[in-house]
Every structure is written in structure tokens, then in C-alpha cells.
Amino acid sequence: MKTNYPTHYCGIFGAVQVHDAARCVNNGLSFLQHRGEESCGITSTDGERFYEHKGMGLVSQVFNEETLALLSGTMAIGHNRYSTTGKSELRNTQPLRIDCRLGDIALAHNGNLTNTDRLRRELESGGAIFQTTTDSEVMLHLLARADAPLEQAIKEMMAKVEGAYSLLIMTRDKAFAIRDPYGFRPLSLGSMNGGWVVSSETCAFDIVGARYERDVRPGEIVVMELKGRDSALTAVPEEKALPRKLCSFEPIYFARPDSIIDGRSVYEARFDMGRKLAQEHPRKVDIVIPIPDGGTIAAMGYGSALGLQVHMAFTRNHYIGRSFICPTQVRRERIADHKINLIARLVKGKRVLVIDDSIVRGTTSGKRVAFLRSAGAAEIHMLVSCPPHRNPCHYGIDFPDPAKLAATGRSVDEIASRLGLDSLGYLSEQGLKDVLGPHGHCFACFNGDYPEKPPTAASS
Ligand code: SF4
């Protein structure tokens, strides 16, 4: 993760009717670590009571044989967190849990609600006491207050909240996999040994030996029973379902390349973005070098389209912590500086084309360009496998203030000159739509066309 990149949000994983469900969830979460490194947690049930363990840090740091042995049962849900709302502290770790009129309920959330403040004010004025500063807790309060069985309470909650949410909700006898009506965040279903698993990304099915079945549809509530002969999958169509608006930044950058989201391989999408870049910006250069890991697959697509050699002249140090989990910009930049080294002899005297997956603030990109210059590159060109970021995200990606975005108020040539490049090019919005499909994705951080109204003083 690079210094000037937006932060990740969260990863969720659940297992139902699975032997040693908590261990299965632990393994699944380890494959979703890229979606949140700040804290993690697992809640399990044996049908009688809930067991939970949560902590700050990576899955491998929070869980061990001892803690997993305490998490009994054949149903469990888990969560990896990076805070986009609420502070980074233990009380905000998920799954969140309440004991209410409907019994024990645990909830794991990926996404960002856009009307949290208004809902929270309403709930607080009605006497609700919040234990966390997350938007996710609002959903638990709405469930607890509904005068209806849980399935109906979930529907009523979905009618009130706005924004992005892929959810796992667990009681002592059921689990629910839910995706918001736009499907901003991914959520997939898999099967294993007669049970069910649910994951933010399909890559986590591979490590637990599950078979990918399908994605949870936007607006859908999938109900999975803990026990009983008929404990199969029951899909409850959600009347409120809207045209799908999957975050386009998932295939561009966030999701792992070994995942399939809404039927599309992330690897193939990234490769095709590189091929599209080659159509839009053919460059006469001696060497193509990706910024690892984000630009690697697009660079391979670009090189294959134009018959150019791709070399890993920038090499990553995998033993440096991920920069985005650091609390300060200065610290993030310091970590980013130590993450990538350059094999200078590969670029000396060459016309170099750098391929990256995005430019957010631009300070790290500028440093990389300076690095190449001091190594003796003859020309330095850069291509980015998405359009310029000019707008904030309200659905769970923590982009900086628009005033700090490299593309805000600047032409592409102005950005190039600020970064010290000989030329700069971005994949066009149309090019991205050609790769991902014209409909079915959110492109708001590129074009400002928000599917769900952003928070305002009145509505937030
Ligand atoms: S605004 Fe950008 S980052 Fe946010 S959901 Fe839409 S495409 Fe994704």
C-alpha cells in the first residue's frame, strides 16, 4: 500500500454449518487481510451461546490455537477492520454484538453509511446509548428497536439506512448475508461440506476449500440456518433493489487479483485495463515498469498489447508494514519510502514507462519519478489504469480531502509537470467503462455522479 493511497475499509467472512466454524473464519479472514489490518474479530455460536474474541492487529497476531479453541460452534462470523468512520480503538472492533428483545445478535459490516449522523441523532434522542463511534452500530440499534421478527426488522432497517453496506448478521440459530440495494461492496456465497461460507471476496474460498456459488445480489438478504434438514440457502428478494453500482475501485485496485466479483475476474479486468491503456496511449519506450503491486497486472496487459518488455525494476520490500494503517501522514510516507527499491541498471539511459493503478495525492509518485531521474532514466512517462480522482468517496473509501488530490483543479499536463514527468496519461472514463461495462459500477470519485446522495448537513 502506498503512502498516498486511499485507505482500505473492511473484509467480512462467515461460516454456517461448518465444523470448527471459527477456525474456518480465521482462515478466511487471513485471505482478506488486505481489506483491513487495524483490528479483527470473530464471534461464534454453538446454538446455545455466543463466544467472541477481538483485538487490534493482524489476524495472525490476534488469533492463535488457544483463542480459536475457545470459539466453539458450527456458525461464526468475522471481520477485518480499517476505520473509515469511528476511531481506531478496541471498542470499535467488529463483529459488534448486542443482547436485545430478539436475543443475541452479532453484526459485521463492510462499507459506509451516508445518513449515520441523522439516524444516530434520532436514536439518541429516543434514549439509545451507543457503545462505539461506528456507523455500523446504528444498524444494530435499528434492529433492536423494530417491533417485528428479525427478518422483517432487517428489511425495515434496510429501508432506513443509506449508503454502502455488505453485512453478516448472526443470531444463535441463523445467519444473514446482506448487500445494500446498489451492491457497492462485494459479497459472495460459497459452499463446503454441506455448509455455507460468505466472503467479501472469493479468494478466501480457496484457502478454506469452499466452492464459489454466486454473489449476493444487490438488495438481497440470504438466510442460512444453523440446524435442520432444510437448512439450505433461502434468498429473499429485496423489493428495494436498484441497478447495481459496484465500486469500480474494487477491480482497479482494492480487490485481490485472485477474486471474482459479480462474475468478473479481477485479474482479467486489470489486464484488460492495461490493454485499453495501450490502445489509448501507445508510447515509444524501451522499458515498461509497474509500481508493485498495484500496477503490475495492468503493465503486463500494456506490454502484451504492444509487444514491450515489462521489468520489475521497482522491487517491493515485503517486510515493511502496510503504510495505510499508520495514523499519521508523515509516518505513512516514511514507510512508503522504505517499501520500494529501484534496480537502477535496468533504467539507466532508457526511455521508461511507469504504470500505476492510481495517483491520489501524488507525493509518492513524485518521489518515484525523482528516484528514476537520479538513476539516469533518459525519459520518464507514466500511465495510470484509471481516470483522475477528483471527488471524495462517501461509500467506504477514505480518499483525502479533494483539495489534496493531485488532479483537483489541475490539467493532466499540470499534474505531469508537478510530478516531474515527461508525459502522463490516464485511462479514460469511457475506456474504463469499456473494460468493466458501461452500467453496474460506481464511478463517482472520477465523475462526481453519486448513485446515492452524499451526506449533507441536513441529511447526514
Ligand atoms: S466513489 Fe469511487 S471509491 Fe467510492 S464507491 Fe464509488 S467508485 Fe468506489
Side-chain angles (χ1 to χ4, degrees), residues 13 24 189-193 195-198 202 204-213:
F13 193 95
C24 174
L189 294 170
S191 60
M192 59 184 289
N193 306 327
W196 298 102
V197 286
V198 185
T202 62
F205 293 157
D206 299 339
I207 186 66
V208 301
R211 190 177 74 187
Y212 167 58
E213 295 290 340

Side-chain angles (χ1 to χ4, degrees), residues 184-185 247-249 392-395 397 399 442-445 450:
F184 283 112
R185 301 286 150 229
C247 169
S248 59
F249 218 48
C393 172
H394 302 291
Y395 314 125
I397 312 295
F399 288 124
C442 172
F443 299 104
C445 49
Y450 290 98

Side-chain angles (χ1 to χ4, degrees), residues 151-435:
E151 281 85 345
Q152 184 56 33
I154 290 173
K155 287 188 176 183
E156 290 176 14
M157 178 270 288
M158 289 173 73
K160 286 183 181 146
V161 298
E162 294 168 3
Y165 53 92
S166 281
L167 292 179
L168 284 168
I169 293 176
M170 187 176 80
T171 67
R172 289 186 198 187
D173 59 359
K174 280 180 194 166
F176 301 84
I178 298 159
R179 208 162 159 204
D180 70 64
Y182 287 101
F184 283 112
R185 301 286 150 229
L187 193 63
S188 301
L189 294 170
S191 60
M192 59 184 289
N193 306 327
W196 298 102
V197 286
V198 185
S199 178
S200 291
E201 288 185 41
T202 62
C203 62
F205 293 157
D206 299 339
I207 186 66
V208 301
R211 190 177 74 187
Y212 167 58
E213 295 290 340
R214 66 175 178 86
D215 293 275
V216 178
R217 289 183 276 275
E220 187 181 26
I221 305 166
V222 174
V223 188
M224 292 159 284
E225 309 264 351
L226 176 61
K227 290 180 180 161
R229 214 159 53 86
D230 298 318
S231 58
L233 202 62
T234 311
V236 179
E238 173 55 51
E239 317 75 64
K240 205 185 151 191
L242 296 162
R244 182 172 65 98
K245 292 290 177 190
L246 174 73
C247 169
S248 59
F249 218 48
E250 292 273 358
I252 291 166
Y253 168 72
F254 281 123
R256 275 178 48 144
D258 47 346
S259 288
I260 294 168
I261 301 181
D262 288 340
R264 182 82 154 103
S265 154
V266 173
Y267 182 95
E268 288 172 11
R270 270 179 210 161
F271 194 85
D272 288 349
M273 286 170 208
R275 292 179 67 83
K276 197 73 187 175
L277 263 182
Q279 275 177 22
E280 293 186 350
H281 303 281
R283 294 277 195 266
K284 284 196 176 139
V285 293
D286 303 310
I287 180 174
V288 177
I289 60 173
I291 299 290
D293 292 327
T296 305
I297 299 167
M300 288 163 63
Y302 188 94
S304 84
L306 296 179
L308 290 165
Q309 288 271 333
V310 179
H311 284 288
M312 300 300 293
F314 281 119
T315 57
R316 261 191 73 176
N317 177 357
H318 290 272
Y319 298 96
I320 297 284
R322 301 191 78 183
S323 49
F324 74 93
I325 62 168
C326 295
T328 66
Q329 176 66 13
V330 172
R331 181 108 191 274
R332 286 197 297 270
E333 287 193 18
R334 198 172 301 141
I335 282 186
D337 287 348
H338 288 79
K339 282 193 80 163
I340 288 191
N341 196 18
L342 178 66
I343 304 172
R345 59 192 297 151
L346 284 176
V347 301
K348 189 163 188 217
K350 303 257 180 70
R351 296 171 298 173
V352 174
L353 171 61
V354 180
I355 296 197
D356 205 349
D357 54 22
S358 53
I359 297 174
V360 180
R361 286 186 180 85
T363 46
T364 305
S365 303
K367 285 183 184 174
R368 305 262 152 81
V369 175
F371 213 2
L372 286 163
R373 286 262 179 245
S374 65
E379 292 176 21
I380 307 169
H381 307 271
M382 187 168 186
L383 293 176
V384 180
S385 59
C386 69
H389 279 94
R390 299 188 196 276
N391 306 287
C393 172
H394 302 291
Y395 314 125
I397 312 295
D398 192 14
F399 288 124
D401 184 317
K404 294 184 179 146
L405 294 170
T408 301
R410 292 186 185 93
S411 68
V412 172
D413 285 347
E414 285 169 338
I415 303 167
S417 121
R418 189 160 168 259
L419 299 183
L421 288 160
D422 293 300
S423 79
L424 171 66
Y426 288 85
L427 184 62
S428 68
E429 189 179 325
Q430 187 55 52
L432 182 59
K433 288 177 176 171
D434 289 347
V435 171

Side-chain angles (χ1 to χ4, degrees), residues 40-102:
C40 56
I42 297 175
T43 305
S44 71
T45 184
D46 52 12
E48 299 294 324
R49 52 171 291 206
F50 272 16
Y51 308 87
E52 73 173 23
H53 182 72
K54 302 194 274 189
M56 305 299 292
L58 304 176
V59 175
S60 60
Q61 294 167 326
V62 172
F63 293 98
N64 55 35
E65 285 303 318
E66 272 176 36
T67 51
L68 287 173
L70 298 173
L71 299 172
S72 301
T74 54
M75 183 160 67
I77 63 173
H79 187 271
N80 285 339
R81 179 165 200 263
Y82 182 85
S83 57
T84 50
T85 72
K87 284 186 188 155
S88 169
E89 53 188 337
L90 190 58
R91 70 176 170 144
N92 285 337
T93 55
Q94 296 194 24
L96 300 176
R97 184 178 154 192
I98 52 166
D99 185 0
C100 66
R101 178 186 60 81
L102 296 163

